[in-house]
Amino acid sequence: MRLSRYFMPILKENPKEAEIVSHRLMLRAGMIRQQSQGIYSWLPLGKRVLDKVNAIIREEQNRAGAIELSMPTLQSAELWQESGRYDAYGKEMLRIKDRQDRPMLYGPTNEEMVTDIFRSAVKSYKDLPLNLYHIQLKFRDEIRPRFGTMRSREFMMKDAYSFDLTREGAEHSYNKMFAAYLRTFDRLGLRAIPMRADTGPIGGNLSHEFIILADTGESEVFCHKDFVGFDIPGENTDFDSVEGLKAIFDKWTSLYAATSEMHDEAAFNAVPEGDRLSARGIEVGHIFYFGTKYSEPMGAKVQGPDGKEHFVHMGSYGIGPTRLVPAIIEASHDDNGIIWPASVAPFDVVVINMKVGDEACDDTCELIYAALKKAGKDVLYDDTDDRAGTKFATADLIGVPVQIIAGPRAVANGEVEVKDRKTGARETMTIEAAINRFVA
Ligand code: ATP
Ligand code: MG
């Protein structure tokens, strides 16, 4: 992508409305724009990051055996009347009427809809277990939307829903998502700790929130500090192994970890003082097992091996991609801007032409740009006529992991500078060596 032809509206001034660093940096880097309170457009740079986050979420959901579909944002109120949640949900639900005066709503979550899909098609235990997910916009009319896309009214959620014949089966389905979540957050460069959580309006009896420790987090959390160093389940994790996944779940729940709603002061005080971590956190994922809470009122049942009908045991599993993007920034930035983990960086590398119009600089940059693109890299080429200082500031602000800097002096020697955004380390090398770094 040539920056001169891209759309990346950088702000020079710090936006006054932004209270936390991620919100400030997302606005300054031109990643998002507020359209009305708690409702955002994702501008091209932000969209790139969001897409990469979603791609990782999708890969790990698929690896764990979940199957993607797509459900609509608008739902009929009827379904919610069946489950009994239409009245219970309260003011967070945006209720709408269509031209025939039929009550509709903008989905805050999809338990009812997915249960409806399930009951229309699945009749036998032989079709179980089943886990269906989508990545879709949700709307919750939050009383206090704030911190940009961290807590917005319209936001994206990956929500998965599992169906099993028995409670034991449902626990295995829960453990699959538990392990998949550990892997997902790790690949996003985050350390998320599963904590026992309240089930809230979703209901149910087994629930964990995945929390990232951050000073700007809205939740108060308490945990054993050893979680920070625990091993993440590997790529070769066998998601069909009941014992294997149970072992992962047991290990990751073996020490104290709870959000304030579930906090047990006495149990926490039993943790040796030096091992106690009392901190603030950001909830990036939340998983629930809620048994037959929806399948019973909505009549979602299958025939079991005993020939009888059984209400299915369900769980639901949410991750917030539009919250994850700012959460990653909260965890990874410095005074100059964002520092993206390579896995979600909007571009792999930025090529900075320090003197556009200088033939040697232009030729060198074009050569590198073409070679890296050919190697399948996402490359941003800063071919604008901005001053070098502005270009450096922009490259640091948008947090691309590697910068290749072509200035007249180095280029005259057949060299460029390669800068690592995270460490700030700069290395001078031949043009060929710079290209070869990316062309494996
Ligand atoms: P919170 O306690 O932060 O209000 P929640 O418990 O209501 O969230 P869930 O129903 O558990 O949210 O939703 C699953 C995930 O969706 C959350 O873990 C979070 O990542 C994301 N999410 C929920 N509400 C919002 C929001 N208002 N803005 C952005 N992401 C959200
Ligand atoms: Mg939650």
Side-chain angles (χ1 to χ4, degrees):
M1 182 59 61
R2 288 171 197 275
L3 186 53
S4 63
R5 298 182 196 167
Y6 199 41
F7 181 66
M8 198 172 80
I10 299 283
L11 298 183
K12 296 225 167 53
E13 304 296 322
N14 263 329
K16 289 187 297 295
E17 71 269 30
E19 297 168 64
I20 61 171
V21 66
S22 57
H23 188 194
R24 201 153 56 229
L25 290 173
M26 286 175 80
L27 289 171
R28 283 199 49 214
M31 292 176 65
I32 52 169
R33 175 177 163 73
Q34 180 171 310
Q35 301 300 152
S36 53
Q37 198 195 28
I39 299 181
Y40 289 84
S41 290
W42 284 74
L43 305 183
L45 191 77
K47 175 75 163 65
R48 276 181 170 265
V49 178
L50 187 58
D51 285 348
K52 292 201 176 183
V53 167
N54 282 336
I56 290 175
I57 292 172
R58 189 172 275 126
E59 263 180 47
E60 295 302 330
Q61 289 293 295
N62 295 347
R63 189 197 304 280
I67 305 167
E68 186 169 11
L69 47 51
S70 179
M71 292 178 268
T73 52
L74 293 183
Q75 307 189 18
S76 146
E78 259 169 54
L79 278 178
W80 289 68
Q81 280 152 354
E82 271 192 67
S83 73
R85 275 208 294 185
Y86 189 63
D87 295 322
Y89 215 92
K91 288 200 160 180
E92 284 205 350
M93 183 188 277
L94 180 65
R95 297 156 207 257
I96 316 161
K97 284 219 171 113
D98 70 9
R99 65 194 297 164
Q100 270 98 27
D101 236 19
R102 277 188 296 246
M104 310 281 295
L105 56 99
Y106 194 135
T109 178
N110 281 60
E111 280 82 7
E112 284 80 358
M113 187 171 281
V114 78
T115 304
D116 177 60
I117 292 172
F118 178 89
R119 71 181 172 186
S120 72
V122 182
K123 306 289 176 202
S124 162
Y125 77 94
K126 290 181 188 154
D127 295 325
L128 301 182
L130 184 64
N131 183 325
L132 299 174
Y133 78 96
H134 69 163
I135 301 178
Q136 178 61 289
L137 293 171
K138 304 283 180 284
F139 193 93
R140 294 181 186 173
D141 205 348
E142 299 268 357
I143 193 159
R144 229 186 133 196
R146 58 180 186 155
F147 301 159
T149 66
M150 187 79 88
R151 177 171 299 284
S152 51
R153 296 197 298 163
E154 187 186 60
F155 61 95
M156 198 170 269
M157 199 198 289
K158 181 290 297 176
D159 38 329
Y161 303 88
S162 66
F163 303 88
D164 282 271
L165 179 65
T166 62
R167 180 184 171 115
E168 294 69 48
E171 276 171 11
H172 179 51
S173 293
Y174 187 90
N175 292 344
K176 284 186 193 173
M177 288 293 110
F178 190 96
Y181 276 33
L182 290 173
R183 286 191 46 75
T184 302
F185 298 126
D186 183 62
R187 287 186 61 192
L188 297 174
L190 295 169
R191 171 53 53 142
I193 302 173
M195 305 203 181
R196 285 208 45 209
D198 200 12
T199 51
I202 309 276
N205 24 30
L206 175 62
S207 175
H208 287 87
E209 281 177 4
F210 287 74
I211 303 272
I212 290 164
L213 304 180
D215 294 338
T216 48
E218 293 184 280
S219 318
E220 202 184 355
V221 300
F222 306 87
C223 70
H224 195 293
K225 74 167 176 32
D226 282 3
F227 277 122
V228 176
F230 269 20
D231 285 342
I232 300 295
E235 205 166 276
N236 55 358
T237 301
D238 178 0
F239 283 87
D240 290 324
S241 164
V242 174
E243 305 76 43
L245 289 192
K246 177 81 168 62
I248 292 169
F249 175 83
D250 286 346
K251 170 148 193 259
W252 278 88
T253 52
S254 60
L255 300 173
Y256 189 84
T259 59
S260 56
E261 299 91 51
M262 297 297 277
H263 186 46
D264 174 349
E265 197 73 41
F268 188 56
N269 286 338
V271 175
E273 197 171 351
D275 292 337
R276 284 182 221 153
L277 207 60
S278 144
R280 303 206 61 86
I282 302 169
E283 178 197 324
V284 287
H286 196 166
I287 61 178
F288 306 84
Y289 162 70
F290 44 75
T292 58
K293 181 176 155 80
Y294 299 94
S295 58
E296 275 194 53
M298 296 187 67
K301 49 195 173 187
V302 295
Q303 191 170 55
D306 55 4
K308 293 191 187 130
E309 304 244 276
H310 300 263
F311 291 116
V312 287
H313 287 250
M314 292 175 59
S316 70
Y317 315 90
I319 291 184
T322 49
R323 177 178 289 180
L324 271 166
V325 173
I328 293 167
I329 298 174
E330 289 294 324
S332 185
H333 65 270
D334 64 14
D335 289 346
N336 298 325
I338 303 165
I339 303 172
W340 292 114
S343 59
V344 297
F347 295 97
D348 301 315
V349 51
V350 51
V351 178
I352 302 175
N353 187 339
M354 282 173 66
K355 198 165 182 198
V356 170
D358 175 283
E359 205 179 318
C361 282
D362 290 351
D363 289 350
T364 300
C365 288
E366 292 291 348
L367 180 87
I368 297 172
Y369 179 50
L372 297 185
K373 272 204 302 184
K374 188 156 172 245
K377 297 293 156 190
D378 287 331
V379 197
L380 181 66
Y381 171 25
D382 188 344
D383 60 341
T384 63
D385 47 21
D386 285 338
R387 288 180 306 110
T390 305
K391 294 190 180 203
F392 293 147
T394 297
D396 279 357
L397 173 65
I398 66 171
V400 174
V402 183
Q403 303 169 9
I404 298 180
I405 303 160
R409 221 173 311 147
V411 164
N413 294 328
E415 290 176 333
V416 288
E417 247 190 316
V418 176
K419 178 179 154 184
D420 181 301
R421 169 64 182 92
K422 186 169 183 179
T423 63
R426 290 160 167 262
E427 223 182 305
T428 301
M429 61 182 77
T430 64
I431 293 161
E432 199 188 2
I435 293 171
N436 282 339
R437 261 204 184 196
F438 294 92
V439 185

